Amino acid sequence: SEHHSTLGHQYVNLKMKTSRLHTLFLYAQPYYVADERSFRYTKPGPKTFYDFGDQVLKEHNRVCYEFYWKIYEEVKESLRGDVEKVFRSNSESKLSKLSFELARMVLPFSTKTQKWHTVNAEVLLQHCSFIPKEIKCHQEYIDQLFSKVLSHSPTANSYIRTRVPESSSEFFRSEDFYSGHHFNILNCGNKFSTYYDDENILTDVRDEILGCEKISSLSRYSSLGNKLAMKRVSGSYVMSASCLAQLIRHRPFSLSYKFLNNSFYEDKFLDESKSYTEFLDYVKDTLENNKNHELSYYFRPLGNNLYVHFNVSCFDLINFFKKRLCFNAQSEVYKFSEFLIQGFKKGGDPTVIDHIYAPPCSHNFRSGKKPTCPEGTRYCRIPVWKLEDRMSGRKF
């Protein structure tokens, strides 16, 4: 067919390698499906960075790579005693994972990442109509994907050629704003739904929630599922770009964000790393010195904080919390999940909240499913399902 609506019919699945900056841009596009392997489970090599022939960026990549391994070793030794006490025979594996998780905060956006990518010609039309000037590799990406898609949809070629990209467009924004605190403007009003009249979005369905034993298998089209799907939660949070990359994989989240200047991820473990303190001094000076560089955004580290505004339905949060309220989830993502829980509890019954938005082991314990912990050998060795205060129970 020559009709352009057929551009959306055929999808191409690709395994691709691109920069982390480019990934952040692609994740923000509509009708886009992707996944990538976390740096929690991979470690970079000296050649896993783009420099685009620029000597300043090339030197920056080298320095960040050296900091990465220094911080990895320092954090590993700092954690060793406590981790060995809790995990015993599994301590070395746990130590490496935790240390890589924290060290990755210094990796620049020029770092290459491997990802799965699903796209069709219709989405490509949106991509090629906007070429962000901050992203050096986007034009090459467009050309390669067009060749793949057009081999399956040759009639799209004439339609695609009519599109003229805005090559000077800016996508990313940054602000001269610093905040060392996460803050909550959780909005639980009823403007998204006709089902609720109360400020507390879960009040009217309290009995249905408590009567639902298998929350994990709750259907969106059931009475309770439909009500939860019709209600949305929005708010704002300051998180690192690394945390955003994890959150953004959950497609039901609607997100917008801005980079914060002079604001970087810190926690109690990195505070003990002398090299991380040195890195923060180094990167602040580097970003300031290269703020007018055409590749300026590639210099930013994954630990650069962003102001993130989110919007998600109460139903989709069930799936999110099943993954991210587990003590094995990355620390910053876990804290964000607990932040949402606290936002609910301010206006609702904690019993109801904990019944529906709880770690997977809590659901298993309630239904009598064995083993209680679904993580197998990665069990955190803490009976989370018995804790009244989960935040104080998490050690790492």
mmCIF file of all heavy atoms in Angstrom, residues 241-280:
data_model
loop_
_atom_site.group_PDB
_atom_site.id
_atom_site.type_symbol
_atom_site.label_atom_id
_atom_site.label_comp_id
_atom_site.label_asym_id
_atom_site.label_seq_id
_atom_site.Cartn_x
_atom_site.Cartn_y
_atom_site.Cartn_z
ATOM 1 N N ALA A 241 21.273 10.909 36.863
ATOM 2 C CA ALA A 241 20.948 10.433 35.515
ATOM 3 C C ALA A 241 20.962 8.911 35.471
ATOM 4 O O ALA A 241 20.205 8.297 34.720
ATOM 5 C CB ALA A 241 21.956 10.992 34.509
ATOM 6 N N SER A 242 21.795 8.291 36.294
ATOM 7 C CA SER A 242 21.848 6.834 36.353
ATOM 8 C C SER A 242 20.543 6.260 36.886
ATOM 9 O O SER A 242 20.031 5.260 36.380
ATOM 10 C CB SER A 242 23.015 6.388 37.236
ATOM 11 O OG SER A 242 23.116 4.994 37.273
ATOM 12 N N CYS A 243 19.987 6.901 37.908
ATOM 13 C CA CYS A 243 18.702 6.474 38.462
ATOM 14 C C CYS A 243 17.589 6.683 37.433
ATOM 15 O O CYS A 243 16.716 5.838 37.268
ATOM 16 C CB CYS A 243 18.405 7.244 39.740
ATOM 17 S SG CYS A 243 16.841 6.809 40.540
ATOM 18 N N LEU A 244 17.632 7.808 36.734
ATOM 19 C CA LEU A 244 16.635 8.093 35.705
ATOM 20 C C LEU A 244 16.653 7.031 34.613
ATOM 21 O O LEU A 244 15.609 6.608 34.125
ATOM 22 C CB LEU A 244 16.884 9.471 35.102
ATOM 23 C CG LEU A 244 15.950 9.883 33.957
ATOM 24 C CD1 LEU A 244 14.514 9.997 34.443
ATOM 25 C CD2 LEU A 244 16.405 11.192 33.337
ATOM 26 N N ALA A 245 17.857 6.563 34.237
ATOM 27 C CA ALA A 245 17.969 5.539 33.207
ATOM 28 C C ALA A 245 17.261 4.256 33.623
ATOM 29 O O ALA A 245 16.677 3.553 32.791
ATOM 30 C CB ALA A 245 19.434 5.247 32.901
ATOM 31 N N GLN A 246 17.284 3.939 34.922
ATOM 32 C CA GLN A 246 16.575 2.762 35.414
ATOM 33 C C GLN A 246 15.066 3.011 35.448
ATOM 34 O O GLN A 246 14.273 2.164 35.049
ATOM 35 C CB GLN A 246 17.065 2.415 36.822
ATOM 36 C CG GLN A 246 18.470 1.873 36.872
ATOM 37 C CD GLN A 246 18.589 0.525 36.176
ATOM 38 O OE1 GLN A 246 17.740 -0.342 36.318
ATOM 39 N NE2 GLN A 246 19.643 0.363 35.403
ATOM 40 N N LEU A 247 14.676 4.180 35.919
ATOM 41 C CA LEU A 247 13.256 4.501 36.038
ATOM 42 C C LEU A 247 12.587 4.577 34.677
ATOM 43 O O LEU A 247 11.450 4.141 34.489
ATOM 44 C CB LEU A 247 13.108 5.845 36.767
ATOM 45 C CG LEU A 247 11.690 6.402 36.920
ATOM 46 C CD1 LEU A 247 10.852 5.479 37.779
ATOM 47 C CD2 LEU A 247 11.734 7.797 37.523
ATOM 48 N N ILE A 248 13.303 5.098 33.713
ATOM 49 C CA ILE A 248 12.733 5.397 32.414
ATOM 50 C C ILE A 248 12.434 4.127 31.615
ATOM 51 O O ILE A 248 11.692 4.145 30.639
ATOM 52 C CB ILE A 248 13.697 6.323 31.646
ATOM 53 C CG1 ILE A 248 12.942 7.361 30.842
ATOM 54 C CG2 ILE A 248 14.671 5.558 30.790
ATOM 55 C CD1 ILE A 248 13.805 8.523 30.421
ATOM 56 N N ARG A 249 13.028 3.004 32.054
ATOM 57 C CA ARG A 249 12.750 1.723 31.402
ATOM 58 C C ARG A 249 11.319 1.261 31.669
ATOM 59 O O ARG A 249 10.793 0.414 30.966
ATOM 60 C CB ARG A 249 13.744 0.676 31.899
ATOM 61 C CG ARG A 249 15.161 0.941 31.424
ATOM 62 C CD ARG A 249 16.184 0.203 32.245
ATOM 63 N NE ARG A 249 16.102 -1.227 32.072
ATOM 64 C CZ ARG A 249 16.871 -2.095 32.735
ATOM 65 N NH1 ARG A 249 17.748 -1.640 33.611
ATOM 66 N NH2 ARG A 249 16.762 -3.376 32.521
ATOM 67 N N HIS A 250 10.709 1.825 32.719
ATOM 68 C CA HIS A 250 9.310 1.494 33.007
ATOM 69 C C HIS A 250 8.439 2.432 32.179
ATOM 70 O O HIS A 250 8.119 3.550 32.571
ATOM 71 C CB HIS A 250 9.030 1.658 34.504
ATOM 72 C CG HIS A 250 9.837 0.731 35.353
ATOM 73 N ND1 HIS A 250 9.431 -0.551 35.649
ATOM 74 C CD2 HIS A 250 11.044 0.878 35.933
ATOM 75 C CE1 HIS A 250 10.352 -1.145 36.386
ATOM 76 N NE2 HIS A 250 11.344 -0.293 36.570
ATOM 77 N N ARG A 251 8.050 1.986 31.016
ATOM 78 C CA ARG A 251 7.414 2.859 30.028
ATOM 79 C C ARG A 251 6.142 3.558 30.522
ATOM 80 O O ARG A 251 5.810 4.632 30.036
ATOM 81 C CB ARG A 251 7.107 2.060 28.752
ATOM 82 C CG ARG A 251 8.338 1.463 28.103
ATOM 83 C CD ARG A 251 9.424 2.497 27.862
ATOM 84 N NE ARG A 251 9.040 3.484 26.890
ATOM 85 C CZ ARG A 251 9.713 4.594 26.649
ATOM 86 N NH1 ARG A 251 10.804 4.844 27.329
ATOM 87 N NH2 ARG A 251 9.309 5.438 25.757
ATOM 88 N N PRO A 252 5.353 2.979 31.457
ATOM 89 C CA PRO A 252 4.144 3.701 31.909
ATOM 90 C C PRO A 252 4.431 5.031 32.583
ATOM 91 O O PRO A 252 3.539 5.868 32.704
ATOM 92 C CB PRO A 252 3.501 2.718 32.891
ATOM 93 C CG PRO A 252 3.967 1.381 32.439
ATOM 94 C CD PRO A 252 5.382 1.600 31.993
ATOM 95 N N PHE A 253 5.672 5.257 33.044
ATOM 96 C CA PHE A 253 6.011 6.549 33.631
ATOM 97 C C PHE A 253 6.089 7.601 32.536
ATOM 98 O O PHE A 253 6.765 7.421 31.527
ATOM 99 C CB PHE A 253 7.373 6.483 34.326
ATOM 100 C CG PHE A 253 7.306 6.068 35.773
ATOM 101 C CD1 PHE A 253 7.304 4.728 36.108
ATOM 102 C CD2 PHE A 253 7.246 7.009 36.780
ATOM 103 C CE1 PHE A 253 7.256 4.336 37.435
ATOM 104 C CE2 PHE A 253 7.197 6.631 38.111
ATOM 105 C CZ PHE A 253 7.198 5.286 38.440
ATOM 106 N N SER A 254 5.408 8.706 32.743
ATOM 107 C CA SER A 254 5.546 9.865 31.863
ATOM 108 C C SER A 254 6.502 10.824 32.566
ATOM 109 O O SER A 254 6.269 11.221 33.712
ATOM 110 C CB SER A 254 4.188 10.529 31.644
ATOM 111 O OG SER A 254 4.320 11.711 30.898
ATOM 112 N N LEU A 255 7.596 11.189 31.885
ATOM 113 C CA LEU A 255 8.672 11.921 32.537
ATOM 114 C C LEU A 255 9.099 13.157 31.764
ATOM 115 O O LEU A 255 9.075 13.169 30.536
ATOM 116 C CB LEU A 255 9.899 11.016 32.703
ATOM 117 C CG LEU A 255 9.705 9.737 33.505
ATOM 118 C CD1 LEU A 255 10.796 8.743 33.179
ATOM 119 C CD2 LEU A 255 9.714 10.053 34.990
ATOM 120 N N SER A 256 9.489 14.175 32.481
ATOM 121 C CA SER A 256 10.193 15.322 31.898
ATOM 122 C C SER A 256 11.291 15.691 32.883
ATOM 123 O O SER A 256 11.152 15.493 34.089
ATOM 124 C CB SER A 256 9.245 16.509 31.674
ATOM 125 O OG SER A 256 8.653 16.914 32.891
ATOM 126 N N TYR A 257 12.416 16.227 32.363
ATOM 127 C CA TYR A 257 13.539 16.453 33.255
ATOM 128 C C TYR A 257 14.470 17.533 32.739
ATOM 129 O O TYR A 257 14.493 17.854 31.561
ATOM 130 C CB TYR A 257 14.327 15.153 33.466
ATOM 131 C CG TYR A 257 14.549 14.341 32.214
ATOM 132 C CD1 TYR A 257 15.605 14.590 31.360
ATOM 133 C CD2 TYR A 257 13.679 13.309 31.890
ATOM 134 C CE1 TYR A 257 15.815 13.850 30.212
ATOM 135 C CE2 TYR A 257 13.864 12.553 30.737
ATOM 136 C CZ TYR A 257 14.936 12.828 29.908
ATOM 137 O OH TYR A 257 15.119 12.086 28.769
ATOM 138 N N LYS A 258 15.239 18.101 33.700
ATOM 139 C CA LYS A 258 16.271 19.085 33.385
ATOM 140 C C LYS A 258 17.525 18.743 34.178
ATOM 141 O O LYS A 258 17.446 18.332 35.338
ATOM 142 C CB LYS A 258 15.821 20.498 33.782
ATOM 143 C CG LYS A 258 14.717 21.085 32.927
ATOM 144 C CD LYS A 258 14.402 22.497 33.372
ATOM 145 C CE LYS A 258 13.316 23.131 32.508
ATOM 146 N NZ LYS A 258 13.016 24.514 32.935
ATOM 147 N N PHE A 259 18.675 18.922 33.551
ATOM 148 C CA PHE A 259 19.935 18.752 34.262
ATOM 149 C C PHE A 259 20.090 19.868 35.293
ATOM 150 O O PHE A 259 19.748 21.020 35.027
ATOM 151 C CB PHE A 259 21.125 18.822 33.292
ATOM 152 C CG PHE A 259 21.364 17.547 32.535
ATOM 153 C CD1 PHE A 259 20.924 17.421 31.222
ATOM 154 C CD2 PHE A 259 22.029 16.491 33.127
ATOM 155 C CE1 PHE A 259 21.150 16.257 30.516
ATOM 156 C CE2 PHE A 259 22.261 15.324 32.431
ATOM 157 C CZ PHE A 259 21.817 15.204 31.124
ATOM 158 N N LEU A 260 20.633 19.512 36.462
ATOM 159 C CA LEU A 260 20.957 20.502 37.472
ATOM 160 C C LEU A 260 22.459 20.734 37.454
ATOM 161 O O LEU A 260 23.247 19.787 37.505
ATOM 162 C CB LEU A 260 20.528 20.030 38.861
ATOM 163 C CG LEU A 260 19.025 19.801 39.055
ATOM 164 C CD1 LEU A 260 18.737 19.339 40.476
ATOM 165 C CD2 LEU A 260 18.244 21.069 38.748
ATOM 166 N N ASN A 261 22.867 21.980 37.366
ATOM 167 C CA ASN A 261 24.285 22.304 37.395
ATOM 168 C C ASN A 261 24.800 22.274 38.833
ATOM 169 O O ASN A 261 24.096 22.672 39.761
ATOM 170 C CB ASN A 261 24.527 23.687 36.778
ATOM 171 C CG ASN A 261 24.165 23.717 35.297
ATOM 172 O OD1 ASN A 261 24.345 22.730 34.585
ATOM 173 N ND2 ASN A 261 23.639 24.840 34.836
ATOM 174 N N ASN A 262 26.015 21.766 39.009
ATOM 175 C CA ASN A 262 26.663 21.718 40.332
ATOM 176 C C ASN A 262 25.890 20.890 41.355
ATOM 177 O O ASN A 262 25.935 21.153 42.545
ATOM 178 C CB ASN A 262 26.878 23.131 40.878
ATOM 179 C CG ASN A 262 27.796 23.952 40.004
ATOM 180 O OD1 ASN A 262 28.821 23.450 39.548
ATOM 181 N ND2 ASN A 262 27.421 25.186 39.740
ATOM 182 N N SER A 263 25.155 19.888 40.867
ATOM 183 C CA SER A 263 24.443 18.986 41.770
ATOM 184 C C SER A 263 24.717 17.558 41.325
ATOM 185 O O SER A 263 24.377 17.188 40.195
ATOM 186 C CB SER A 263 22.942 19.291 41.744
ATOM 187 O OG SER A 263 22.237 18.402 42.584
ATOM 188 N N PHE A 264 25.324 16.760 42.217
ATOM 189 C CA PHE A 264 25.748 15.413 41.854
ATOM 190 C C PHE A 264 25.375 14.425 42.949
ATOM 191 O O PHE A 264 25.244 14.796 44.125
ATOM 192 C CB PHE A 264 27.260 15.380 41.602
ATOM 193 C CG PHE A 264 27.702 16.345 40.546
ATOM 194 C CD1 PHE A 264 28.098 17.633 40.883
ATOM 195 C CD2 PHE A 264 27.687 15.998 39.204
ATOM 196 C CE1 PHE A 264 28.491 18.537 39.915
ATOM 197 C CE2 PHE A 264 28.069 16.891 38.233
ATOM 198 C CZ PHE A 264 28.471 18.166 38.574
ATOM 199 N N TYR A 265 25.233 13.184 42.545
ATOM 200 C CA TYR A 265 24.815 12.144 43.480
ATOM 201 C C TYR A 265 25.850 11.939 44.588
ATOM 202 O O TYR A 265 27.048 11.876 44.336
ATOM 203 C CB TYR A 265 24.619 10.824 42.733
ATOM 204 C CG TYR A 265 24.214 9.687 43.652
ATOM 205 C CD1 TYR A 265 22.908 9.582 44.119
ATOM 206 C CD2 TYR A 265 25.143 8.741 44.068
ATOM 207 C CE1 TYR A 265 22.537 8.556 44.971
ATOM 208 C CE2 TYR A 265 24.779 7.705 44.911
ATOM 209 C CZ TYR A 265 23.472 7.618 45.362
ATOM 210 O OH TYR A 265 23.114 6.598 46.209
ATOM 211 N N GLU A 266 25.356 11.833 45.815
ATOM 212 C CA GLU A 266 26.201 11.523 46.961
ATOM 213 C C GLU A 266 25.425 10.610 47.902
ATOM 214 O O GLU A 266 24.195 10.688 47.991
ATOM 215 C CB GLU A 266 26.627 12.799 47.691
ATOM 216 C CG GLU A 266 27.499 13.742 46.873
ATOM 217 C CD GLU A 266 27.915 14.983 47.656
ATOM 218 O OE1 GLU A 266 28.756 14.833 48.568
ATOM 219 O OE2 GLU A 266 27.382 16.061 47.363
ATOM 220 N N ASP A 267 26.122 9.720 48.580
ATOM 221 C CA ASP A 267 25.505 8.917 49.625
ATOM 222 C C ASP A 267 26.552 8.583 50.682
ATOM 223 O O ASP A 267 27.714 8.998 50.580
ATOM 224 C CB ASP A 267 24.842 7.650 49.053
ATOM 225 C CG ASP A 267 25.845 6.674 48.462
ATOM 226 O OD1 ASP A 267 27.060 6.807 48.728
ATOM 227 O OD2 ASP A 267 25.421 5.767 47.722
ATOM 228 N N LYS A 268 26.163 7.845 51.718
ATOM 229 C CA LYS A 268 27.059 7.607 52.857
ATOM 230 C C LYS A 268 28.277 6.784 52.468
ATOM 231 O O LYS A 268 29.330 6.885 53.107
ATOM 232 C CB LYS A 268 26.293 6.913 53.983
ATOM 233 C CG LYS A 268 25.715 5.550 53.616
ATOM 234 C CD LYS A 268 24.951 4.967 54.788
ATOM 235 C CE LYS A 268 24.367 3.606 54.437
ATOM 236 N NZ LYS A 268 23.615 3.024 55.584
ATOM 237 N N PHE A 269 28.161 5.965 51.420
ATOM 238 C CA PHE A 269 29.305 5.139 51.017
ATOM 239 C C PHE A 269 30.295 5.953 50.190
ATOM 240 O O PHE A 269 31.505 5.867 50.392
ATOM 241 C CB PHE A 269 28.830 3.923 50.234
ATOM 242 C CG PHE A 269 27.866 3.062 51.008
ATOM 243 C CD1 PHE A 269 26.574 2.855 50.551
ATOM 244 C CD2 PHE A 269 28.250 2.467 52.197
ATOM 245 C CE1 PHE A 269 25.685 2.068 51.265
ATOM 246 C CE2 PHE A 269 27.377 1.674 52.922
ATOM 247 C CZ PHE A 269 26.083 1.483 52.462
ATOM 248 N N LEU A 270 29.783 6.743 49.251
ATOM 249 C CA LEU A 270 30.665 7.568 48.436
ATOM 250 C C LEU A 270 31.306 8.684 49.250
ATOM 251 O O LEU A 270 32.391 9.156 48.916
ATOM 252 C CB LEU A 270 29.898 8.150 47.251
ATOM 253 C CG LEU A 270 29.573 7.154 46.129
ATOM 254 C CD1 LEU A 270 28.694 7.817 45.069
ATOM 255 C CD2 LEU A 270 30.835 6.601 45.495
ATOM 256 N N ASP A 271 30.636 9.110 50.324
ATOM 257 C CA ASP A 271 31.216 10.143 51.184
ATOM 258 C C ASP A 271 32.540 9.691 51.802
ATOM 259 O O ASP A 271 33.391 10.513 52.150
ATOM 260 C CB ASP A 271 30.239 10.515 52.311
ATOM 261 C CG ASP A 271 29.101 11.393 51.802
ATOM 262 O OD1 ASP A 271 29.224 11.921 50.683
ATOM 263 O OD2 ASP A 271 28.089 11.525 52.521
ATOM 264 N N GLU A 272 32.694 8.366 51.947
ATOM 265 C CA GLU A 272 33.917 7.823 52.538
ATOM 266 C C GLU A 272 35.023 7.629 51.504
ATOM 267 O O GLU A 272 36.136 7.245 51.861
ATOM 268 C CB GLU A 272 33.612 6.493 53.225
ATOM 269 C CG GLU A 272 32.625 6.619 54.387
ATOM 270 C CD GLU A 272 32.281 5.279 54.990
ATOM 271 O OE1 GLU A 272 32.867 4.261 54.557
ATOM 272 O OE2 GLU A 272 31.428 5.233 55.906
ATOM 273 N N SER A 273 34.703 7.866 50.235
ATOM 274 C CA SER A 273 35.685 7.679 49.167
ATOM 275 C C SER A 273 36.404 9.002 48.885
ATOM 276 O O SER A 273 35.789 9.960 48.406
ATOM 277 C CB SER A 273 35.001 7.178 47.889
ATOM 278 O OG SER A 273 35.881 7.228 46.792
ATOM 279 N N LYS A 274 37.683 9.029 49.166
ATOM 280 C CA LYS A 274 38.491 10.224 48.912
ATOM 281 C C LYS A 274 38.508 10.548 47.420
ATOM 282 O O LYS A 274 38.434 11.717 47.015
ATOM 283 C CB LYS A 274 39.909 10.007 49.426
ATOM 284 C CG LYS A 274 40.858 11.168 49.162
ATOM 285 C CD LYS A 274 42.262 10.851 49.650
ATOM 286 C CE LYS A 274 43.224 11.980 49.307
ATOM 287 N NZ LYS A 274 44.616 11.654 49.721
ATOM 288 N N SER A 275 38.563 9.506 46.592
ATOM 289 C CA SER A 275 38.628 9.713 45.143
ATOM 290 C C SER A 275 37.336 10.311 44.595
ATOM 291 O O SER A 275 37.363 11.088 43.634
ATOM 292 C CB SER A 275 38.928 8.390 44.423
ATOM 293 O OG SER A 275 40.222 7.933 44.750
ATOM 294 N N TYR A 276 36.190 9.969 45.199
ATOM 295 C CA TYR A 276 34.933 10.540 44.707
ATOM 296 C C TYR A 276 34.857 12.031 45.023
ATOM 297 O O TYR A 276 34.377 12.821 44.217
ATOM 298 C CB TYR A 276 33.728 9.817 45.305
ATOM 299 C CG TYR A 276 32.420 10.192 44.627
ATOM 300 C CD1 TYR A 276 32.174 9.839 43.304
ATOM 301 C CD2 TYR A 276 31.449 10.932 45.294
ATOM 302 C CE1 TYR A 276 30.994 10.187 42.667
ATOM 303 C CE2 TYR A 276 30.260 11.287 44.671
ATOM 304 C CZ TYR A 276 30.045 10.912 43.352
ATOM 305 O OH TYR A 276 28.869 11.267 42.721
ATOM 306 N N THR A 277 35.354 12.415 46.186
ATOM 307 C CA THR A 277 35.421 13.844 46.537
ATOM 308 C C THR A 277 36.308 14.587 45.544
ATOM 309 O O THR A 277 35.971 15.684 45.084
ATOM 310 C CB THR A 277 35.967 14.019 47.957
ATOM 311 O OG1 THR A 277 35.115 13.331 48.875
ATOM 312 C CG2 THR A 277 36.014 15.493 48.338
ATOM 313 N N GLU A 278 37.450 13.975 45.206
ATOM 314 C CA GLU A 278 38.353 14.576 44.222
ATOM 315 C C GLU A 278 37.692 14.642 42.850
ATOM 316 O O GLU A 278 37.861 15.627 42.116
ATOM 317 C CB GLU A 278 39.644 13.759 44.142
ATOM 318 C CG GLU A 278 40.490 13.821 45.395
ATOM 319 C CD GLU A 278 41.682 12.887 45.322
ATOM 320 O OE1 GLU A 278 41.783 12.125 44.328
ATOM 321 O OE2 GLU A 278 42.518 12.910 46.255
ATOM 322 N N PHE A 279 36.916 13.605 42.519
ATOM 323 C CA PHE A 279 36.231 13.603 41.221
ATOM 324 C C PHE A 279 35.216 14.737 41.124
ATOM 325 O O PHE A 279 35.107 15.406 40.089
ATOM 326 C CB PHE A 279 35.526 12.267 40.993
ATOM 327 C CG PHE A 279 34.604 12.280 39.799
ATOM 328 C CD1 PHE A 279 35.114 12.202 38.514
ATOM 329 C CD2 PHE A 279 33.224 12.420 39.957
ATOM 330 C CE1 PHE A 279 34.280 12.239 37.412
ATOM 331 C CE2 PHE A 279 32.380 12.462 38.859
ATOM 332 C CZ PHE A 279 32.910 12.374 37.587
ATOM 333 N N LEU A 280 34.463 14.978 42.191
ATOM 334 C CA LEU A 280 33.452 16.042 42.159
ATOM 335 C C LEU A 280 34.103 17.403 41.935
ATOM 336 O O LEU A 280 33.581 18.240 41.179
ATOM 337 C CB LEU A 280 32.646 16.050 43.457
ATOM 338 C CG LEU A 280 31.699 14.862 43.667
ATOM 339 C CD1 LEU A 280 30.918 15.020 44.967
ATOM 340 C CD2 LEU A 280 30.723 14.712 42.500
#
